Amino acid sequence: MSYYFTLNYPKNLKPCSVGDLLRQLLVPRKWRHFLRIEQKIRVNGHYRYFNQLVYPNDKIELELDCVESEQGTYPASGKLPDVIYEDQDVLVINKPAGQKTHPNLAETDTALNDCATYLGLSPFVVHRLDMLTTGLLLVAKNPAVVPILNRELTTKIFHREYIAVVNHPEKLQASGTINLPIGQDPSDQRKRMVRVDGLSSITHYQVLNQTSNEALIKLQLKTGRTHQIRVHLAAIGCPIVGDPLYNPDCVPDEFLHLTAYQMSFNKPFSFDQVQVKLPQEIKF
């Protein structure tokens, strides 16, 4: 199957070579090789060598038919997701708390199954949210954009912001950074913990509002470890309200007060930035 992408080189950028343009767009090396060998990149309707320049307002067209994906298919759940943003390549939904991002084995009730219902085809995973976390989840409509979005994640072009309600606000500064390595908890396979031999993990936070018992905080991830926000906040003595794994004072059946409320990313194969935010205001 072939995938086609078209963009106009922005007016505000300096001329650059075709090769540099593709690197700026985060196109994988093997795809750049294919585009060069097969002459599947055209500028203003004609193939242009990789050392030749692209100028502002030039129209660039790419055709990819070397795209492979090892991801399996996700059957439709019969339920529709809460769609917040959509374009020709991606979908952003509001995942409810208590729903998995993607299925294991024969499960058919996850967020990706709902997306399959909406799209009429199997979607592709870009990132994940914990089952108990609610909020914005980005899903790819085709495999050609997945490596681009994955590289945006690793290069921090793709930004995510969260809102949480935590206990013991007196232990928080107005803003701060939690820099503690995270690894597996050997006593519970479901959990992670701060440990010296763990992976580097960095979380930035800012207090938005607080009472004597709780604080509403905004969080940004510099790294993306499993349960990172939950582990980091518990480690500094401010566990998230309703966290059954990391808050010893969690009330039974209370929901986890953690929401992925805002994200920004570049549209694949373009220089356009997309910003998506949940429409509802997050309060205590």
Side-chain angles (χ1 to χ4, degrees):
M1 184 172 181
S2 296
Y3 300 92
Y4 299 88
F5 301 94
T6 302
L7 68 144
N8 290 319
Y9 192 68
K11 297 179 182 179
N12 61 324
L13 297 182
K14 295 180 179 179
C16 74
S17 69
V18 172
D20 284 343
L21 167 67
L22 294 176
R23 281 186 281 272
Q24 288 182 57
L25 294 174
L26 305 180
V27 176
R29 179 183 295 179
K30 64 178 181 179
W31 291 1
R32 299 199 304 266
H33 176 75
F34 167 82
L35 291 167
R36 180 174 59 83
I37 296 299
E38 300 295 327
Q39 297 193 359
K40 294 290 188 177
I41 179 168
R42 293 176 293 277
V43 180
N44 300 327
H46 302 282
Y47 176 73
R48 193 169 291 183
Y49 293 105
F50 273 37
N51 61 352
Q52 292 181 295
L53 295 180
V54 177
Y55 295 92
N57 293 323
D58 278 351
K59 181 181 179 181
I60 298 103
E61 299 169 279
L62 303 110
E63 179 185 350
L64 291 167
D65 58 15
C66 60
V67 178
E68 299 176 353
S69 174
E70 297 180 356
Q71 180 180 297
T73 58
Y74 298 128
S77 66
K79 297 182 296 181
L80 292 173
D82 180 11
V83 177
I84 305 298
Y85 169 85
E86 181 178 11
D87 62 30
Q88 68 272 19
D89 295 311
V90 304
L91 190 69
V92 179
I93 67 167
N94 180 14
K95 186 191 82 67
Q99 185 182 45
K100 291 183 179 180
T101 294
H102 60 85
N104 294 317
L105 301 177
E107 293 174 326
T108 59
D109 58 352
T110 71
L112 271 293
N113 297 117
D114 292 352
C115 291
T117 302
Y118 177 80
L119 296 172
L121 51 84
S122 188
F124 295 84
V125 175
V126 176
H127 68 113
R128 295 164 177 79
L129 291 177
D130 292 346
M131 188 174 88
L132 297 180
T133 303
T134 186
L136 298 176
L137 179 71
L138 176 65
V139 177
K141 291 185 177 182
N142 64 70
V145 301
V146 173
I148 307 296
L149 294 168
N150 285 341
R151 296 181 82 178
E152 288 193 25
L153 276 167
T154 58
T155 57
K156 312 308 176 189
I157 294 172
F158 183 6
H159 291 284
R160 292 168 289 169
E161 295 187 0
Y162 294 77
I163 291 290
V165 179
V166 301
N167 292 134
H168 308 297
E170 71 280 357
K171 298 182 180 181
L172 293 169
Q173 300 175 347
S175 62
T177 297
I178 308 169
N179 186 352
L180 297 169
I182 292 175
Q184 182 72 50
D185 186 337
S187 64
D188 190 336
Q189 289 300 306
R190 301 172 302 164
K191 298 174 66 176
R192 302 297 189 271
M193 62 182 295
V194 170
R195 47 189 296 171
V196 294
D197 61 346
L199 297 173
S200 174
S201 307
I202 300 173
T203 305
H204 304 292
Y205 73 85
Q206 178 185 352
V207 176
L208 301 177
N209 198 359
Q210 69 182 74
T211 66
S212 59
N213 299 317
E214 298 176 345
L216 181 71
I217 62 174
K218 179 172 70 173
L219 302 119
Q220 288 183 314
L221 296 176
K222 188 172 181 180
T223 55
R225 312 304 178 196
T226 300
H227 293 182
Q228 178 174 317
I229 291 174
R230 299 165 68 182
V231 172
H232 269 175
L233 291 172
I236 63 171
C238 303
I240 298 175
V241 174
D243 192 335
L245 288 182
Y246 302 103
N247 190 339
D249 299 320
C250 179
V251 177
D253 298 324
E254 184 173 20
F255 72 93
L256 179 73
H257 287 61
L258 177 63
T259 302
Y261 88 103
Q262 185 167 281
M263 66 169 56
S264 62
F265 57 93
N266 287 348
K267 290 183 65 173
F269 299 99
S270 84
F271 291 91
D272 298 330
Q273 188 182 66
V274 177
Q275 292 186 322
V276 186
K277 186 176 182 179
L278 284 177
Q280 65 267 33
E281 185 179 356
I282 308 295
K283 299 180 179 179
F284 281 102

